[in-house]
Amino acid sequence: MALKTLTYEVFGRVQGVCFRHYTCSKAKELGLVGYVRNTSSGTVEGVAQGEESQIIKFSQWLKTEGSPSCRIERCNQQFQETDKYDYDTFQQRK
């Protein structure tokens, strides 16, 4: 099983539209661990870890779907291979 870490930052109208809530739900649905949080610059950022196939699905979801009321302009992403999980669950951070 190939494990991957995805670091991401989503730009657009992503704060105040339940983006973190939907991101957390999607990550848990896919069996990922990590976190999502708002930034002071109006973006949403986070880290997700899990099986490569699930990380790819999550990556695509972040770029194209998000929450129903959001407007995603772009999503910067960086992938890394990992051999262990750094988190126990996926959670929203403040």
Side-chain angles (χ1 to χ4, degrees):
M1 168 175 66
L3 296 179
K4 294 280 187 183
T5 297
L6 168 65
T7 304
Y8 59 90
E9 184 172 13
V10 186
F11 296 79
R13 191 178 79 169
V14 292
Q15 289 191 10
V17 291
C18 297
F19 195 92
R20 290 180 303 146
H21 170 77
Y22 279 86
T23 301
C24 195
S25 294
K26 186 65 173 180
K28 288 179 179 180
E29 173 188 318
L30 294 171
L32 304 178
V33 297
Y35 68 89
V36 60
R37 67 180 174 201
N38 287 338
T39 69
S40 60
S41 61
T43 65
V44 170
E45 68 179 9
V47 174
Q49 293 182 312
E51 294 181 25
E52 183 175 16
S53 62
Q54 302 305 82
I55 288 290
I56 291 168
K57 289 177 187 174
F58 186 64
S59 164
Q60 188 63 28
W61 182 89
L62 286 169
K63 292 189 286 189
T64 60
E65 292 185 49
S67 68
S69 300
C70 78
R71 188 184 78 249
I72 299 167
E73 292 176 3
R74 77 177 191 274
C75 181
N76 295 345
Q77 300 181 341
Q78 182 178 14
F79 297 88
Q80 289 182 294
E81 291 186 20
T82 188
D83 57 357
K84 65 177 181 63
Y85 290 114
D86 297 319
Y87 308 92
D88 295 325
T89 63
F90 198 96
Q91 60 185 340
Q92 293 184 53
R93 292 187 178 173
K94 295 190 182 216

